[in-house]
Amino acid sequence: MIIDIKSILFFAVVFISNVIQCITGFAGTVLAMPFSIMLVGFDTAKTILNILGIAASVGVLAMNKKSFNKKEFAKITGIMIIGMVIGFVITNIFSVTAGILYKILGVTVIIFTVIGCMRTFRKKSDENQKVSVSDKKSALISYCILIISGVVHGMFVCGGPLLIVYASERLKDKDEFRATVSSVWIVLNSVIMLTDINNGNLNADIMPLLAVSVIILFASVIVGNIIAKHMNKTTFMIITYILMGISALSLLLK
């Protein structure tokens, strides 16, 4: 493998995004994808970041397997797979150019950034205040969120932020949240990995880049855990959303 400036920058993106992933619990792939696409190309970025997502999720599940919620796992996975099929159709059947994909991802990341900012900084509602929403309407909204998350994940391997919108309302315990969501990514990302193998994207050419990225992934998890114990999470959330916004704008202007 020839180490050039783009490869070095890609490794830096992998490291920083996974440190943030470790601290905030999400946003790793959605933050890394825009920069990675510009550095190593769409197919290579998607394939490598997908495998890194599987590796990271296996580690989280192993540490929190007792808190795994089977019912929510089955529900989330089943609905998101439907969305992923739609995402596969969009990218594989329709003639979508790289430029259009960049624009779609840029807009998607901006939407995720706005949703994340609203959820992070909104004031907590009065505990006594009741919102009149029917169970059927609430369920419909939940299903729509999961399907859209699946579509985005099938296209870009970064449907996490929308899944977080759903899961944060259903999985209140932190360990249950981490274990269940990680299990979802293991299954869904494995499906994407099989499609990458079938399409020839996971080949010998990217193995050196993948091998170094896996090493960097483990290093970022160690660093992220150390930082998470000493730094304010809200500060890192602000940094994350700023970086997400910059990455999205860079794609829209590309």
Side-chain angles (χ1 to χ4, degrees):
M1 178 181 66
I2 300 175
I3 301 295
D4 55 15
I5 185 63
K6 287 189 175 181
S7 297
I8 294 173
L9 290 174
F10 174 69
F11 295 143
V13 168
V14 168
F15 179 78
I16 294 171
S17 63
N18 280 285
V19 168
I20 292 175
Q21 172 79 24
C22 186
I23 295 168
T24 64
F26 82 103
T29 305
V30 73
L31 176 59
M33 183 63 80
F35 294 116
S36 299
I37 287 175
M38 291 184 285
L39 292 170
V40 298
F42 179 80
D43 290 334
T44 299
K46 179 183 174 185
T47 301
I48 292 179
L49 293 178
N50 179 65
I51 293 175
L52 295 181
I54 295 174
S57 296
V58 168
V60 172
L61 177 60
M63 293 185 291
N64 301 278
K65 58 184 178 181
K66 292 183 179 180
S67 302
F68 174 58
N69 187 320
K70 295 180 181 178
K71 182 179 179 180
E72 283 295 335
F73 164 76
K75 179 180 178 181
I76 294 170
T77 304
I79 296 175
M80 284 191 65
I81 283 178
I82 296 174
M84 284 176 61
V85 171
I86 299 173
F88 292 152
V89 169
I90 293 173
T91 54
N92 294 327
I93 295 181
F94 293 105
S95 298
V96 182
T97 64
I100 294 176
L101 284 174
Y102 292 155
K103 299 298 186 293
I104 293 173
L105 181 55
V107 172
T108 302
V109 173
I110 289 176
I111 293 172
F112 284 165
T113 302
V114 172
I115 292 174
C117 288
M118 291 174 61
R119 292 182 60 81
T120 300
F121 302 111
R122 71 181 179 184
K123 294 182 179 179
K124 293 184 177 180
S125 300
D126 188 340
E127 293 181 358
N128 296 322
Q129 184 179 4
K130 295 182 179 179
V131 180
S132 177
V133 180
S134 66
D135 291 339
K136 289 185 178 180
K137 184 176 181 181
S138 178
L140 179 61
I141 293 173
S142 296
Y143 294 151
C144 288
I145 289 173
L146 290 178
I147 289 176
I148 295 172
S149 178
V151 172
V152 175
H153 200 68
M155 293 179 66
F156 302 112
V157 203
C158 56
L162 271 180
L163 173 56
I164 299 307
V165 172
Y166 169 86
S168 61
E169 299 296 330
R170 296 292 194 277
L171 305 169
K172 300 298 183 181
D173 179 75
K174 185 177 75 171
D175 291 338
E176 179 187 33
F177 177 93
R178 286 163 60 83
T180 306
V181 171
S182 293
S183 300
V184 171
W185 294 140
I186 291 171
V187 174
L188 300 187
N189 287 10
S190 294
V191 172
I192 292 176
M193 183 175 68
L194 292 176
T195 64
D196 285 334
I197 293 173
N198 183 60
N199 294 333
N201 295 330
L202 184 58
N203 52 55
D205 293 338
I206 73 167
M207 287 303 172
L209 201 62
L210 175 60
V212 177
S213 297
V214 170
I215 296 173
I216 292 174
L217 169 68
F218 289 118
S220 66
V221 169
I222 294 173
V223 173
N225 280 325
I226 293 174
I227 295 176
K229 293 178 181 179
H230 298 91
M231 303 296 284
N232 187 295
K233 181 177 178 180
T234 301
T235 301
F236 277 92
M237 293 299 289
I238 295 173
I239 295 174
T240 298
Y241 292 130
I242 290 174
L243 292 175
M244 286 172 64
I246 292 173
S247 66
L249 290 175
S250 66
L251 282 175
L252 292 175
L253 296 174
K254 185 176 175 62

